[in-house]
Amino acid sequence: MNDSIEAPAPGSRRPGGRTARTRAAVRDAVLTGLAEHGYPALTVEYVAEHSGVHKTTLYRRWGDVEGMVADALDLAGEDAWTAPDTGSLAGDLRALAREVVEGFGDPVRAAAPTAFVGAAFQSPRAAEALHSFYGERFRRCEEVVARAVARGEASAATDAGAVVRAVSAPLFLRLFVTREPVDGALADQAADAVLAAVAAGVYTGRDEAADGTGRASAEG
Amino acid sequence: MNDSIEAPAPGSRRPGGRTARTRAAVRDAVLTGLAEHGYPALTVEYVAEHSGVHKTTLYRRWGDVEGMVADALDLAGEDAWTAPDTGSLAGDLRALAREVVEGFGDPVRAAAPTAFVGAAFQSPRAAEALHSFYGERFRRCEEVVARAVARGEASAATDAGAVVRAVSAPLFLRLFVTREPVDGALADQAADAVLAAVAAGVYTGRDEAADGTGRASAEG
């Protein structure tokens, strides 16, 4: 439907304009293709057919399939998602973990994000886009630790990035490595484990450990 | 070199015999191919050329590339690996975490196992083999929790499977999802966090949580 869309001059992009619509159409086609066939089977022909954007335009603006996948991830990262705010660190960590279960536990909802994770094994540009996407996601998650510090629930020295990664890590391990099911009880267990480690001060010592000599730990 | 090897009759396989050598040759070719080109580029022709096993034999014994990848993983799982035994739960958990960093932190050593994880996104049989491989690996890891229970370092009700998965999870998250570097300090942090959660009793409550109503947690 958008065969003749031109590459925009710098500064000419308007949110909600024709460029944004084309980009979203390509993103939708990439998501559908990834979800249905996976990265190795995704072709420029497929994206052209499902987006209505001409192949010539696709090649000119995105270069190749790698560029389209990376841009779809960039676009996904431009949403307004914010971390849950339940009033306690315990509640926020559980809510974060449960979002992972809800997002990846349902096969239909999980298909496209799972395919993005899989594409990163094949494509360096997809890996870089995935790195950026999750880096930004976890930065937004760190807000739950900042609020906990403000409430006196955690030390100001807490490594917020490590905390929020640790909450979802046991779920991602089961989804993508051991290939085991995840559920709400596992989400709560992951969140509660991190909460206990925060309370024990485990996440405040990373800087001191950087010299490789270890640090005061929760041993014993 | 093994063009005429026949499919063995049931019960005819001898460890170290011709069948085992053929299987190892195919496994080596699969590992090399995965490490160098990734799963989507792996072909029967490639395996035939690099293993010296005739294509006809490959098709008859393994069916297709999926079967060869799955068998290579099965074979990898038949090693004699056992979990570290340092004398304390703290030491064992850190040693487990550091093994992940050592195995995946070096690009050359990491290439084949990383490709196995990636192949599981494309191939249901690879996913099943990966599930079996890591299921068995983590079962062996549970020995560190059993020893800790025997030493009185952990409750006999501790969910050993959850504990050993939680130790490596933050590392696998960074390797395969956020695509961030891992190091020994991160390994120690992951191990110490799990140790603190074990001490807090977080990993003893999973059964009670199975009804979805939550359980006594480390909140507050």
Side-chain angles (χ1 to χ4, degrees), chain B residues 21-214:
Chain B
R21 285 198 305 274
T22 304
R23 198 177 168 209
V26 170
R27 182 264 324 270
D28 291 346
V30 166
L31 290 178
T32 304
L34 285 178
E36 291 184 356
H37 307 291
Y39 178 74
L42 193 67
T43 62
V44 174
E45 286 72 19
Y46 180 97
V47 175
E49 187 181 331
H50 286 76
S51 67
V53 179
H54 198 278
K55 275 172 61 175
T56 312
T57 306
L58 294 175
Y59 280 119
R60 190 176 57 239
R61 297 224 349 231
W62 284 274
D64 53 17
V65 164
E66 273 196 296
M68 294 173 209
V69 169
D71 192 50
L73 256 169
D74 289 346
L75 200 50
E78 292 176 11
D79 69 357
W81 184 88
T82 55
D85 185 3
T86 66
S88 73
L89 182 59
D92 286 357
L93 296 182
R94 282 189 172 205
L96 281 176
R98 287 200 174 237
E99 283 200 23
V100 175
V101 170
E102 282 153 23
F104 286 93
D106 174 59
V108 173
R109 282 184 65 189
T114 299
F116 276 127
V117 176
F121 286 84
Q122 315 300 337
S123 155
R125 285 177 68 191
E128 180 55 40
L130 194 73
H131 170 79
S132 297
F133 176 83
Y134 276 108
E136 170 60 18
R137 267 298 183 273
F138 282 121
R139 265 188 296 280
R140 297 187 203 174
C141 291
E142 290 179 21
E143 180 63 21
V144 308
V145 178
R147 288 193 301 251
V149 170
R151 283 188 301 257
E153 292 183 285
S155 160
T158 302
D159 180 348
V163 167
V164 295
R165 281 164 179 75
V167 169
S168 53
L171 304 168
F172 282 121
L173 173 83
R174 286 171 173 86
L175 289 165
F176 301 136
V177 180
T178 63
R179 301 265 163 187
E180 296 165 321
V182 296
D183 59 24
L186 261 182
D188 291 348
Q189 183 189 62
D192 294 352
V194 173
L195 188 70
V198 169
V202 172
Y203 290 109
T204 59
R206 178 126 167 82
D207 285 345
E208 297 92 298
D211 62 0
T213 58

Side-chain angles (χ1 to χ4, degrees), chain A residues 40 90 121-122 130-131 162 165 172-174 177-180 183 185 189 192-193 195 203 206 215 217-219, chain B residues 40 90 121-122 130-131 162 165 172-174 177-180 183 185 189 192-193 203 206 215 217-219:
Chain A
F121 286 84
Q122 314 301 338
L130 194 72
H131 170 79
R165 280 164 179 75
F172 282 121
L173 173 83
R174 287 171 173 86
V177 181
T178 63
R179 302 266 164 184
E180 296 165 321
D183 59 24
Q189 184 189 62
D192 295 351
L195 189 68
Y203 290 108
R206 179 125 168 82
R215 65 176 181 286
S217 77
E219 291 180 13
Chain B
F121 286 84
Q122 315 300 337
L130 194 73
H131 170 79
R165 281 164 179 75
F172 282 121
L173 173 83
R174 286 171 173 86
V177 180
T178 63
R179 301 265 163 187
E180 296 165 321
D183 59 24
Q189 183 189 62
D192 294 352
Y203 290 109
R206 178 126 167 82
R215 65 176 181 286
S217 77
E219 290 181 15

